[in-house]
């Protein structure tokens, strides 16, 4: 029998990002009948979210895109969680987290959730996007798996449009 519950995964680099900036969103989602699952790097705020009754999965995200072994483990774990939960929606924040989810999406054969991504700021990854054409192509291909890319910073939106990394709409 097909699971009819509304499920959503919310993921950010650390629990702090979700607890500090998204707590009202996830509480409202839960109030409106959604099963909310949190994926983030372990910190004290992830414990706070557990105490609030949210389902929490620890992912050992890293800011270093060249930590291949750790990133592969993360991608496999994310893929496994998605296949287990079968959420309708995945909303990821932070470019490193988004990259992990985009790659995971290529390994979802029987189930495809709707992906929404929020880029909260480029941070250290800016240097790769600004100068590396291969990294730009990689990001452009990955972001195609999302139904919507949201930018919190207008300068980042302008930068992505200038580099032709997203559709102008």
């Amino acid at each position: 029998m097909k699971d009819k519950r509304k499920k959503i995964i919310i993921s950010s680099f650390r629990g702090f990002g979700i607890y500090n900036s998204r707590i009202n969103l996830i509480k409202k989602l839960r109030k409106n009948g959604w099963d909310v699952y949190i994926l983030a790097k372990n910190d004290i705020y992830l414990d706070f979210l557990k105490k609030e009754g949210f389902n929490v999965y620890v992912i050992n995200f890293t800011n270093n895109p060249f930590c291949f072994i750790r990133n592969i483990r993360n991608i496999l774990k994310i893929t496994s969680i998605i296949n287990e939960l079968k959420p309708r929606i995945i909303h990821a924040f932070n470019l490193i987290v988004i990259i992990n989810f985009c790659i995971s999406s290529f390994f979802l054969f029987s189930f495809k959730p709707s992906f929404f991504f929020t880029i909260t700021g480029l941070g250290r990854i800016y240097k790769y996007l600004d100068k590396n054409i291969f990294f730009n192509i990689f990001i452009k291909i990955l972001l195609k798996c999302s139904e919507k890319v949201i930018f919190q910073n207008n300068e980042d939106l302008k930068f992505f449009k200038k580099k032709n990394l997203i559709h102008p709409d």
Side-chain angles (χ1 to χ4, degrees):
M1 188 166 136
K2 193 173 179 181
D3 189 350
K4 298 286 186 191
R5 292 179 298 181
K6 298 185 294 187
K7 297 179 185 177
I8 185 169
I9 290 176
I10 304 285
S11 187
S12 188
F13 191 79
R14 294 179 302 160
F16 172 79
I18 296 171
Y19 190 83
N20 189 53
S21 302
R22 315 280 186 266
I23 190 71
N24 292 334
L25 169 67
I26 61 176
K27 283 181 176 181
K28 189 167 189 167
L29 285 166
R30 184 170 59 186
K31 183 179 176 190
N32 288 325
W34 287 84
D35 291 340
V36 179
Y37 299 87
I38 309 295
L39 277 68
K41 191 171 186 173
N42 201 14
D43 63 11
I44 193 165
Y45 296 94
L46 219 50
D47 292 334
F48 295 159
L49 290 164
K50 285 180 196 172
K51 287 177 185 169
E52 292 271 351
F54 291 101
N55 303 296
V56 172
Y57 291 84
V58 175
I59 305 290
N60 194 17
F61 291 116
T62 175
N63 275 328
N64 186 344
F66 300 108
C67 287
F68 296 114
I69 300 298
R70 187 186 304 177
N71 285 320
I72 289 169
R73 282 187 193 134
N74 289 341
I75 291 163
L76 292 173
K77 187 172 183 180
I78 290 166
T79 304
S80 174
I81 292 167
I82 294 170
N83 280 324
E84 173 192 331
L85 298 176
K86 297 190 178 1
R88 278 194 207 174
I89 296 173
I90 295 174
H91 194 156
F93 302 85
N94 182 290
L95 194 54
I96 292 294
V97 175
I98 290 168
I99 290 169
N100 278 263
F101 273 90
C102 286
I103 295 171
S104 292
S105 76
F106 291 110
F107 301 104
L108 301 172
F109 302 112
S110 64
F111 177 74
K112 295 285 185 190
S114 296
F115 288 91
F116 296 89
F117 299 136
T118 298
I119 297 177
T120 56
L122 294 178
R124 288 189 226 166
I125 206 125
Y126 173 80
K127 66 183 173 187
Y128 300 110
L129 287 172
D130 194 37
K131 298 192 169 53
N132 189 322
I133 186 71
F134 297 109
F135 196 69
N136 286 345
I137 293 168
F138 175 70
I139 293 295
K140 187 172 185 168
I141 290 168
L142 289 181
L143 290 179
K144 288 185 185 273
C145 77
S146 177
E147 291 194 25
K148 191 75 169 167
V149 179
I150 302 160
F151 291 84
Q152 282 188 270
N153 180 328
N154 200 36
E155 293 304 312
D156 291 344
L157 173 62
K158 289 178 187 174
F159 177 79
F160 269 65
K161 284 183 177 179
K162 178 180 154 196
K163 291 287 187 178
N164 198 28
L165 298 174
I166 58 168
H167 192 274
D169 297 338

